[in-house]
């Protein structure tokens, strides 16, 4: 069974503190979880208040389904991040 792992590198320009960063990251994680059947977690420590790394994982019988799902998740994450004063600086998908 294939596993898809999407990594999103966020640059949060609007964040002026760790609280602002946490608000953006939590909102992004919660909205992605409720919109898609995926697992979402923050991958790095909160050392920098204007950067964050988010990991998204899903498993399915079909690699094509996972590829389409990860593209939809990335598109939704970009939209959600932009609405909160952040941007996706980098993203990449791995299949295991």
């Amino acid at each position: 069974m294939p596993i898809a792992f999407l990594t999103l590198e966020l640059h949060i320009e609007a964040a002026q503190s760790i609280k602002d960063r946490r608000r953006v990251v939590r909102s992004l994680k919660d909205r992605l979880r409720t919109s898609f059947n995926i697992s979402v977690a923050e991958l790095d420590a909160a050392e920098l208040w204007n950067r964050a790394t988010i990991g998204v994982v899903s498993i399915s019988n079909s690699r094509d389904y996972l590829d389409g799902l990860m593209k939809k998740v990335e598109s939704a994450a970009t939209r959600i991040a932009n609405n909160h004063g952040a941007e996706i600086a980098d993203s990449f998908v791995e299949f295991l």
Side-chain angles (χ1 to χ4, degrees):
M1 262 197 211
I3 300 170
F5 178 62
L6 172 66
T7 305
L8 301 169
E9 300 284 337
L10 292 172
H11 179 67
I12 309 166
E13 293 181 28
Q16 299 298 317
S17 66
I18 295 291
K19 259 186 174 177
D20 292 339
R21 176 190 186 277
R22 192 177 318 132
R23 180 184 49 81
V24 171
V25 170
R26 182 173 291 151
S27 177
L28 178 65
K29 289 179 0 183
D30 290 346
R31 288 177 186 228
L32 290 177
R33 276 189 197 120
T34 59
S35 298
F36 303 96
N37 186 19
I38 56 174
S39 296
V40 183
E42 187 174 356
L43 300 179
D44 61 351
E47 296 170 1
L48 297 174
W49 48 265
N50 60 351
R51 298 254 179 216
T53 304
I54 306 294
V56 177
V57 177
S58 185
I59 186 169
S60 175
N61 288 332
S62 170
R63 182 183 166 121
D64 292 334
Y65 170 77
L66 288 175
D67 188 42
L69 176 65
M70 290 300 135
K71 287 179 182 175
K72 289 178 185 175
V73 169
E74 183 178 359
S75 175
T78 300
R79 187 173 16 83
I80 294 165
N82 288 339
N83 288 341
H84 286 86
E87 68 180 47
I88 306 293
D90 194 16
S91 67
F92 51 93
V93 178
E94 294 179 62
F95 292 96
L96 307 172

